[in-house]
Amino acid sequence: MKTLTQAQIAKVTFDHCRAHENVADLSDKQVWVIGYMYAGWVTDHYGAVTNHKLLEVMPEGMAEVMERFDLDREAWLASRP
């Protein structure tokens, strides 16, 4: 089976977040950032993955990535004048 690129993992994550996660208050750009953050998490933990493997592990790690996104966003907002 063919392994997914970071962009493909991010797209699957984007679609998952829009359908299943509470991200209604986030812009598409912010959800894409989460997608790429999750792509990094997946490849750090599982290496190269196929679409089948990604769908098996999809919920795993999502809470960690969402928390990291929130912390990064809060830090960015706090640093603004």
Side-chain angles (χ1 to χ4, degrees):
M1 290 188 141
K2 185 177 176 186
T3 58
L4 300 175
T5 65
Q6 293 279 345
Q8 290 170 318
I9 296 171
K11 172 64 171 135
V12 172
T13 305
F14 177 91
D15 293 343
H16 170 83
C17 285
R18 284 294 185 212
H20 302 290
E21 300 291 333
N22 186 17
V23 295
D25 61 326
L26 300 179
S27 70
D28 282 351
K29 184 176 180 180
Q30 291 171 314
V31 179
W32 273 109
V33 169
I34 291 168
Y36 276 97
M37 290 172 75
Y38 189 69
W41 185 92
V42 168
T43 55
D44 286 349
H45 287 80
Y46 293 99
V49 295
T50 62
N51 192 56
H52 178 75
K53 180 66 174 178
L54 178 63
L55 295 176
E56 280 182 7
V57 302
M58 178 57 80
E60 185 182 340
M62 189 62 72
E64 181 182 332
V65 168
M66 297 292 270
E67 182 179 342
R68 195 173 93 212
F69 173 81
D70 287 340
L71 292 172
D72 289 353
R73 184 171 63 161
E74 288 174 17
W76 179 78
L77 289 171
S79 71
R80 295 179 68 195

